[in-house]
Amino acid sequence: MAGSEHQTPESMELIAQYFRVLSDAQRLRILHCLQTGEHTVGEIAELTGASPSNVSKHLGLLRANGLVGRRQEGNRAYFGITAPFIFELCDIVCSGARKRLQHEQSLLPQT
């Protein structure tokens, strides 16, 4: 891990917590939705195909871990990204996953 010689036990735990939060596909879908800008729970539910209560639960965890913020406008709450670095991490992981899938597909017999 780059720069890990400077990591404290506390910072390593925070990093591990980020990975635990990101280990859920539904939370990744929510983050993907929010990459284009703020959305309400209802909009996120519609975009992801999840129930509003399920989206709310995941947003609560994302908020508690500092990845998502909430802005109130009248009687509507809008959620948005508060840690844009998360998309750099997701891009790295997605790129690695694509390469792995391409490699595995190249090993399959051609039909």
Side-chain angles (χ1 to χ4, degrees):
M1 188 177 283
S4 62
E5 64 277 0
H6 304 294
Q7 299 294 336
T8 65
E10 294 81 12
S11 65
M12 294 299 271
E13 182 55 40
L14 181 60
I15 292 165
Q17 183 62 31
Y18 281 139
F19 280 108
R20 283 191 290 273
V21 170
L22 295 173
S23 70
D24 184 89
Q26 182 61 33
R27 287 192 287 274
L28 292 174
R29 283 189 284 277
I30 290 169
L31 290 170
H32 181 74
C33 287
L34 296 175
Q35 194 167 10
T36 60
E38 293 182 325
H39 291 288
T40 64
V41 168
E43 291 167 343
I44 297 167
E46 188 174 314
L47 290 167
T48 62
S51 70
S53 63
N54 184 268
V55 168
S56 291
K57 177 186 81 167
H58 287 295
L59 283 169
L61 186 62
L62 291 166
R63 282 183 68 210
N65 285 278
L67 300 177
V68 170
R70 181 177 186 262
R71 178 179 63 83
Q72 194 73 32
E73 190 174 293
N75 64 350
R76 297 187 83 150
Y78 291 88
F79 295 86
I81 298 299
T82 55
F85 73 86
I86 210 69
F87 295 118
E88 294 173 44
L89 176 61
C90 288
D91 287 344
I92 291 168
V93 173
C94 288
S95 175
R98 273 192 299 276
K99 287 176 185 173
R100 178 179 171 185
L101 287 172
Q102 288 170 349
H103 174 73
E104 289 176 359
Q105 288 173 346
S106 74
L107 298 175
L108 295 174
Q110 300 299 315
T111 55

